[in-house]
Amino acid sequence: MIKISSPSIGDEEVKAVTEVLRSGYLAYGPVAKEFEREFAKYIGVKHALAVVNGTIAIYAALKALGIGPGDEVVVPDFTFFATASMVVATGARPVFADIELTTYGMDPSSLEKVISERTKAVIVVHLYGHPARFDELAGIAREAGAYVIEDCAQAHGAEYHGKKVGSLGDVSAFSFYATKNMTMGEGGAVLTDNDEVAERVELLRNHGQVGRYNHVTIGWNFRITNIQAAIGLAQLRKLDRMNDRRREIARRYDEELSLIDALRTPSEAPWARHVYHLYTVWVEREEDRDKLAEYLRSKGIQAAVHYPKPLHLQQALAEYSRPGCCPVAEAASRHVLSLPMHPLLTDEEVEAVIRAVKEFFSKK
Ligand SMILES: Cc1ncc(COP(=O)(O)O)c(C=O)c1O
């Protein structure tokens, strides 16, 4: 089976975890702090606060900005559920903006239409590993007095005009889930240059505690362990190499698959460094998409749809839905298909994927 994604775990992670286990210091401690320092430096921000997962990173970012009941937060309609569900978790209202097809990120013209004086923040998602049109989106948000949060769960190491995503907005959220460009198994981080925001995230993730057993506010336990951080540190040290391999695979896919008229390969804007968390093609004929996925599976090749339903059509978010708000997101949900993409794919596996996709279309 050629897997669509796979963590890239080697001796370095095994060694790092073993060291932590032997140290006897398993919970949040020096290794976690070292991870935070190194990750903040890598992205180019002042503070990184590691938390249990990317979902909670978004929640903590929103809460630290003071977002809650009565506020609106604009999110792209085409992203993973957590981007919007965490807005709801704060008591605020998610407002869906449509996406555009070159970046699969939020469309600035759609943001213009939905932003209002109630908008407290805009969550910019760098989907599939390609940066969204940050300056245009942030310009609109800032004009309306709204914060900009980056959801970087799929974009570790991606660059926008030479700057790492995660360093562009007021605060950003990362995920280190097992399939991400770098992983801890489960994990997340909130990044910011703002000392106050960092302080609030610190309180939220650790029982509102200032000094031992002194609680100044209500907080939770969102901490990671040294064990997770040890994996994260080893992964961070090889992130650029892993992303380079993803990009190499993408170039090979591009070379061959862009010759097929029946599909569109992902684009990389001149101002962007795409890190191909996913390699997602657009299948021109809607009716071919699921058939291609089925054909690939019959050849032992995994393929998946990210995402089969735009957020405004999710039952859980029905009360925030505005029918017809997001035609491009709706079309994307019917046309996109993600092919195998991870650093452990061999050249032979990449060629096998290319061959199978070509075969499918040559039989039509
Ligand atoms: C765009 C996006 N946002 C948020 C998340 C949530 O991250 P996690 O799975 O670590 O909670 C994910 C991960 O699946 C994601 O892809």
Side-chain angles (χ1 to χ4, degrees):
M1 173 69 77
I2 302 181
K3 290 201 213 155
I4 188 165
S5 61
S6 169
S8 180
I9 299 294
D11 291 344
E12 48 286 39
E13 285 81 4
V14 174
K15 185 164 168 277
V17 168
T18 308
E19 272 170 25
V20 170
L21 293 175
R22 293 228 162 94
S23 77
Y25 200 156
L26 307 190
Y28 181 90
V31 185
K33 286 183 184 148
E34 189 185 347
F35 173 79
E36 290 174 334
R37 275 194 306 275
E38 285 211 17
F39 194 60
K41 193 165 150 216
Y42 176 83
I43 298 295
V45 295
K46 197 164 167 196
H47 305 281
L49 295 106
V51 293
V52 285
N53 54 52
T55 303
I56 287 299
I58 296 169
Y59 178 75
L62 288 161
K63 291 290 283 185
L65 293 175
I67 285 155
D71 298 331
E72 287 186 358
V73 177
V74 182
V75 299
D77 191 41
F78 198 62
T79 171
F80 181 63
F81 181 63
T83 313
S85 66
M86 289 303 100
V87 174
V88 177
T90 67
R93 198 180 166 79
V95 174
F96 303 112
D98 209 354
I99 58 155
E100 45 116 43
L101 287 184
T102 44
T103 62
Y104 288 100
M106 191 186 284
D107 183 341
S109 67
S110 182
L111 174 60
E112 292 260 27
K113 286 190 201 123
V114 298
I115 204 157
S116 77
E117 67 282 358
R118 291 179 301 278
T119 309
K120 190 83 179 276
V122 174
I123 305 185
V124 172
V125 181
H126 306 297
L127 201 74
Y128 301 154
H130 192 291
R133 293 186 188 278
F134 188 81
D135 286 347
E136 284 154 88
L137 295 167
I140 298 164
R142 288 186 177 132
E143 197 152 302
Y147 293 113
V148 182
I149 300 173
E150 293 178 79
D151 179 340
C152 305
Q154 304 190 0
H156 318 68
E159 288 175 14
Y160 175 84
H161 286 292
K163 280 187 82 184
K164 293 267 176 352
V165 305
S167 68
L168 311 169
D170 296 296
V171 50
S172 61
F174 282 83
S175 161
F176 306 117
Y177 179 65
T179 59
K180 302 303 191 210
N181 290 44
M182 59 174 282
T183 185
M184 297 180 179
E186 294 271 12
V190 183
L191 274 67
T192 184
D193 280 324
N194 183 315
D195 297 343
E196 272 171 47
V197 169
E199 208 170 292
R200 276 186 234 131
V201 173
E202 179 60 55
L203 290 172
L204 278 167
R205 77 165 169 180
N206 194 24
H207 300 292
Q209 194 167 235
V210 180
R212 205 158 169 76
Y213 302 127
N214 179 50
H215 305 272
V216 299
T217 184
I218 299 297
W220 287 260
N221 174 358
F222 294 156
R223 300 180 309 257
I224 62 157
T225 64
N226 275 345
I227 307 168
Q228 287 162 289
I231 304 171
L233 264 173
Q235 289 271 296
L236 178 58
R237 286 171 187 155
K238 61 189 197 190
L239 175 62
D240 286 341
R241 252 178 298 141
M242 295 194 288
N243 281 341
D244 285 347
R245 176 61 184 153
R246 285 177 184 270
R247 288 177 57 78
E248 193 175 65
I249 294 166
R251 290 290 82 82
R252 185 67 198 130
Y253 278 158
D254 287 349
E255 262 167 28
E256 296 291 336
L257 302 183
S258 62
L259 304 173
I260 302 173
D261 289 339
L263 58 78
R264 258 183 271 168
T265 51
S267 44
E268 182 180 48
W271 40 264
R273 178 176 166 84
H274 195 329
V275 291
Y276 297 95
H277 170 58
L278 293 167
Y279 188 92
T280 303
V281 297
W282 174 277
V283 180
E284 296 289 359
R285 282 160 49 101
E286 205 178 302
E287 57 276 28
D288 281 347
R289 196 268 308 269
D290 291 346
K291 287 188 201 147
L292 172 59
E294 201 39 56
Y295 184 76
L296 293 174
R297 279 181 215 122
S298 76
K299 299 275 173 188
I301 298 167
Q302 288 183 340
V305 175
H306 300 94
Y307 295 90
K309 229 185 229 190
L311 294 183
H312 79 277
L313 296 179
Q314 293 288 353
Q315 186 185 331
L317 298 168
E319 68 180 282
Y320 310 105
S321 180
R322 285 172 304 114
C325 70
C326 307
V328 182
E330 285 188 34
S333 70
R334 296 191 299 264
H335 285 267
V336 296
L337 187 68
S338 303
L339 303 179
M341 173 52 86
H342 60 85
L344 297 184
L345 282 177
T346 64
D347 290 348
E348 292 70 34
E349 287 175 323
V350 172
E351 296 309 315
V353 175
I354 291 168
R355 232 177 4 257
V357 175
K358 283 184 168 173
E359 262 165 28
F360 173 80
F361 287 109
S362 68
K363 282 184 181 153
K364 297 199 66 68

